[in-house]
């Protein structure tokens, strides 16, 4: 069955081009030119993924993303014409699964979209990993702390899983970028740090003093094997 995609972008020429290209690659595509129309469309009919422009005429894409995340974990790929690192960090912080600056090639967008959907629909690859009160389930792609689901995006779960599977070993930012396909690799890219900050907010008792994901200055991150013991 073809997967449904929703494009929220006021650039009608771009939306039409993406509609044609993605439809030719087996997707069923809907388009909305405003934030209001996109949110109304999504409330009426679910989608497997949303392609969301940052600059919309009635509401900026970050606010749209917040409203989507308030009621849904649908994967969201954000687009922007500004190409500003700050935009990318803000988008990742509030729950975007990936971020693509304009102009872009339709092939790159398709590759990133497929990566997002592949991660969301991945089949079980291992048993549940348990670290004290924290459980990480690769099969359902979820993490639970004290039995409560931890809120995080697909990229963030991939980073958490990579760290947990290498518990006790330092992973550099470059190693994490290599394991989590779809995050733009850049020697000065802060996106890994942004994702780790969001993961800590979800799984740490005190994100300001993390016990589960520990920063090793100048090296990377290490996932602690023993996490809930008192000092």
């Amino acid at each position: 069955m073809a997967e449904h995609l929703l494009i929220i972008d006021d650039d009608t020429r771009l939306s039409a081009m993406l509609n044609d290209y993605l439809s030719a690659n087996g997707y069923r595509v809907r388009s909305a030119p405003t934030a209001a129309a996109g949110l109304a469309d999504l409330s009426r009919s679910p989608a497997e993924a949303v392609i969301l422009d940052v600059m919309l005429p009635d509401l900026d894409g970050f606010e749209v993303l917040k409203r989507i995340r308030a009621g849904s974990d649908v994967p969201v790929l954000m687009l922007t014409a500004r190409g500003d690192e700050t935009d990318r960090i803000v988008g990742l912080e509030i729950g975007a699964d990936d971020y693509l600056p304009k102009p872009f090639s339709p092939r790159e967008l398709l590759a990133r979209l497929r990566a997002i959907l592949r991660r969301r629909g991945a089949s079980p690859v291992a048993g549940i990993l348990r670290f004290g009160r924290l459980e990480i389930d690769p099969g359902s792609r979820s993490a639970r702390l004290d039995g409560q689901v931890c809120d995080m995006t697909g990229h963030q779960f991939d980073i958490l899983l990579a760290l947990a599977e290498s518990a006790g070993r330092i992973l550099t930012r470059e190693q994490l970028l290599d394991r989590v396909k779809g995050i733009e690799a850049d020697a000065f890219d802060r996106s890994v740090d942004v994702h780790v900050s969001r993961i800590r907010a979800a799984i740490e008792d005190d994100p300001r003093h993390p016990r589960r994901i520990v920063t090793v200055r100048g090296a990377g991150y290490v996932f602690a094997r023993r996490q809930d013991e008192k000092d």
Side-chain angles (χ1 to χ4, degrees):
M1 182 179 295
E3 291 168 301
H4 289 256
L5 308 176
L6 173 62
I7 301 172
I8 307 177
D9 195 321
D10 63 327
D11 186 336
T12 55
R13 292 181 61 185
L14 177 62
S15 292
M17 181 270 290
L18 290 178
N19 192 321
D20 292 343
Y21 185 80
L22 294 171
S23 296
N25 281 275
Y27 296 96
R28 300 184 66 178
V29 185
R30 312 192 305 266
S31 299
T34 65
L39 290 169
D41 184 299
L42 195 59
S43 68
R44 288 192 304 268
S45 180
E48 275 70 48
V50 175
I51 300 169
L52 173 63
D53 189 29
V54 169
M55 300 181 71
L56 294 166
D58 54 338
L59 201 65
D60 76 68
F62 300 128
E63 180 60 31
V64 176
L65 178 59
K66 289 179 184 178
R67 296 187 185 188
I68 290 174
R69 283 288 169 263
S72 172
D73 64 350
V74 60
V76 176
L77 171 61
M78 296 200 75
L79 308 176
T80 181
R82 293 183 287 196
D84 190 336
E85 181 189 35
T86 301
D87 283 352
R88 177 170 55 190
I89 291 169
V90 170
L92 294 171
E93 284 180 336
I94 59 179
D97 288 86
D98 203 353
Y99 199 96
L100 189 59
K102 297 178 180 178
F104 56 83
S105 74
R107 290 180 63 185
E108 181 179 8
L109 181 140
L110 178 62
R112 288 174 179 255
L113 185 64
R114 283 174 170 168
I116 291 172
L117 292 169
R118 187 164 57 247
R119 288 193 299 270
R120 184 57 58 96
S123 58
V125 295
I128 295 175
L129 305 176
R130 292 182 172 86
F131 299 88
R133 295 151 47 225
L134 179 67
E135 295 185 350
I136 302 169
D137 185 350
S140 65
R141 295 183 56 75
S142 64
R144 294 177 181 271
L145 183 64
D146 294 327
Q148 298 296 311
V149 175
C150 302
D151 182 28
M152 65 186 71
T153 67
H155 274 325
Q156 290 155 16
F157 180 82
D158 288 338
I159 290 174
L160 174 62
L161 182 59
L163 287 164
E165 289 177 336
S166 300
R169 295 180 7 227
I170 297 172
L171 292 183
T172 66
R173 290 169 177 80
E174 290 74 19
Q175 287 173 316
L176 288 170
L177 284 168
D178 184 60
R179 294 194 186 195
V180 184
K181 304 303 181 184
I183 299 180
E184 183 180 352
D186 185 317
F188 302 100
D189 197 338
R190 293 173 53 200
S191 60
V192 169
D193 301 314
V194 172
H195 281 305
V196 169
S197 176
R198 292 286 293 179
I199 296 167
R200 282 172 170 161
I203 70 171
E204 297 281 2
D205 296 313
D206 182 357
R208 295 171 300 177
H209 301 93
R211 299 173 64 93
R212 305 184 190 282
I213 300 177
V214 180
T215 300
V216 181
R217 189 177 298 276
Y221 297 101
V222 62
F223 192 84
R225 287 178 176 167
R226 303 172 70 87
Q227 303 177 357
D228 291 316
E229 290 84 348
K230 300 295 183 182
D231 292 329

